[in-house]
Structure formats: C-alpha cells, structure tokens
Amino acid sequence: FNYIGDASFSLCENLESVKILSNNITFDGYSFFGACYKLSRYEGHYASEDNRCLVVDGVLKDIAPTGLTEYTIPDGIKEIGGYSFMNYSNFEKISISESVTKIGKYAFNNCQGLTEITIPKTVTTIEEYIFCECLRLAKVYCESTTPPTIMKFPFDKTHSQLQIYVPTTAVNAYKAAEGWKDYADKIVGYDF
C-alpha cells in the first residue's frame, strides 16, 4: 500500500516497532500510530536518526514513546505535528529544538507528566488545545518577543498555578495579543 490515513494504526496495543520500506507513501492526517504505548522504534524511510520519530517532510508525525521520560525534538524538524505526543503521560520533559516553527493541534494534549516546557523563539504558530489537560504543567517559557499566533484553548486544564514566562519587554504585547490575552493573569516577565 502507499497511503496511510488518520489513526490507521492507532491503539495497536502490542505494536513494538514500525519499519517502512517505501519512500513513496502518502501520509494524510494525524496520529497514524497514536496510543501505541509499546512502540519503541521506527525504521526505514521516514524514521528520524534516533529511530524515535516518524518524520514526513520535516513534520514530526508520531513518536515511539516506550521507555522515554525525556525527549529532545531533533534538529531539522520544522513542525511538531498534531496529536504527536497526545496522551503520553510518561514524558516529564520535552525539549523543542530551534528548527521548529509550528506546533500542531493537540500536540501535547493530556501529557500529564509534563511540569514545564520552553517554546523557542523560532515558533510562530501554535494551534489549538496543545497543552490542554496537562494537569501538572505549571511553567511555560515562551522566548519570542513577538507573540506567536495562537489558536483556542492552548492552556486549558493545566496546573492551577500555571505561569507563562515571556520576555519582560514583551509582557504587554502578549497580554494584548489574540489568544494570549485569555491568559493575561498568568503571563509574567522573564529575562531569557
């Protein structure tokens, strides 16, 4: 076959590795291997160098989560695709590389192990519900002096004491920006 669609292999409870032999596959949608909690390895075409990510045209589409509590998004990834880390509570720390410019919808939704995360200054677009239901997420560091475009409800149902740290010179810009202003009482200046 040469087509993989939304959630094609999601919830395959015993899937431990994926090997893709063809470089001519169309990936359409999100969460192709979502909630495959035993998945530890991608091989062949579309596998990241560390064999932990499914990467299509610079977009991290899925992660192999088994055994990981920390992960650094590899350099060269342009976008963290929608749903890519969703429901993986084992992650306590995720580092986003400065090659990333966009974070897709629901990317980290329900990652209940996350307590803090840094969004590098290169990120210009943040889609909806990315950190929703990350109940322990208490610190978000957003390095850009220009507020990234943000969609609806990115920080809903996070830690009750959530603080969003932004460059001190940009506090007012964030508090006035669409999407960010909904969290104005949580935005704090920080010297990066």
Side-chain angles (χ1 to χ4, degrees):
F1 61 88
N2 63 355
Y3 174 88
I4 298 177
D6 267 342
S8 294
F9 299 97
S10 282
L11 298 169
C12 290
E13 294 176 12
N14 294 313
L15 186 64
E16 295 180 4
S17 67
V18 173
K19 188 170 189 174
I20 299 176
L21 300 174
S22 172
N23 65 350
N24 193 25
I25 294 177
T26 299
F27 291 87
D28 186 22
Y30 300 97
S31 200
F32 310 108
F33 298 95
C36 293
Y37 296 106
K38 292 184 180 177
L39 186 60
S40 63
R41 186 169 187 80
Y42 290 100
E43 297 178 26
H45 295 285
Y46 308 105
S48 60
E49 192 172 303
D50 65 359
N51 297 104
R52 283 296 187 159
C53 303
L54 178 70
V55 180
V56 180
D57 297 327
V59 180
L60 188 157
K61 292 288 192 174
D62 275 309
I63 185 83
T66 300
L68 296 176
T69 57
E70 297 185 5
Y71 190 69
T72 298
I73 307 294
D75 285 335
I77 299 292
K78 294 180 267 184
E79 178 182 337
I80 300 171
Y83 302 87
S84 50
F85 287 81
M86 184 176 174
N87 295 327
Y88 292 136
S89 294
N90 52 306
F91 287 102
E92 297 170 5
K93 183 176 182 183
I94 297 171
S95 300
I96 301 173
S97 71
E98 291 198 356
S99 59
V100 173
T101 60
K102 179 180 178 182
I103 303 173
K105 61 185 177 180
Y106 294 87
F108 302 106
N109 184 284
N110 201 32
C111 285
Q112 294 190 21
L114 277 182
T115 58
E116 66 178 68
I117 196 160
T118 298
I119 300 170
K121 60 183 171 282
T122 54
V123 173
T124 57
T125 304
I126 299 171
E127 292 190 343
E128 62 264 26
Y129 300 101
I130 60 163
F131 297 113
C132 188
E133 298 186 40
C134 293
L135 301 177
R136 295 179 61 214
L137 185 64
K139 296 178 181 178
V140 174
Y141 296 90
C142 195
E143 296 179 335
S144 180
T145 54
T146 301
T149 300
I150 197 165
M151 311 286 176
K152 57 187 173 183
F153 311 118
F155 305 109
D156 281 24
K157 299 182 184 173
T158 53
H159 193 284
S160 61
Q161 301 300 314
L162 173 70
Q163 296 284 281
I164 302 168
Y165 297 95
V166 304
T168 302
T169 58
V171 168
N172 291 336
Y174 274 85
K175 287 186 175 187
E178 198 61 43
W180 294 99
K181 64 185 177 184
D182 298 335
Y183 305 94
D185 62 327
K186 299 182 180 299
I187 294 173
V188 177
Y190 187 81
D191 293 323
F192 288 93

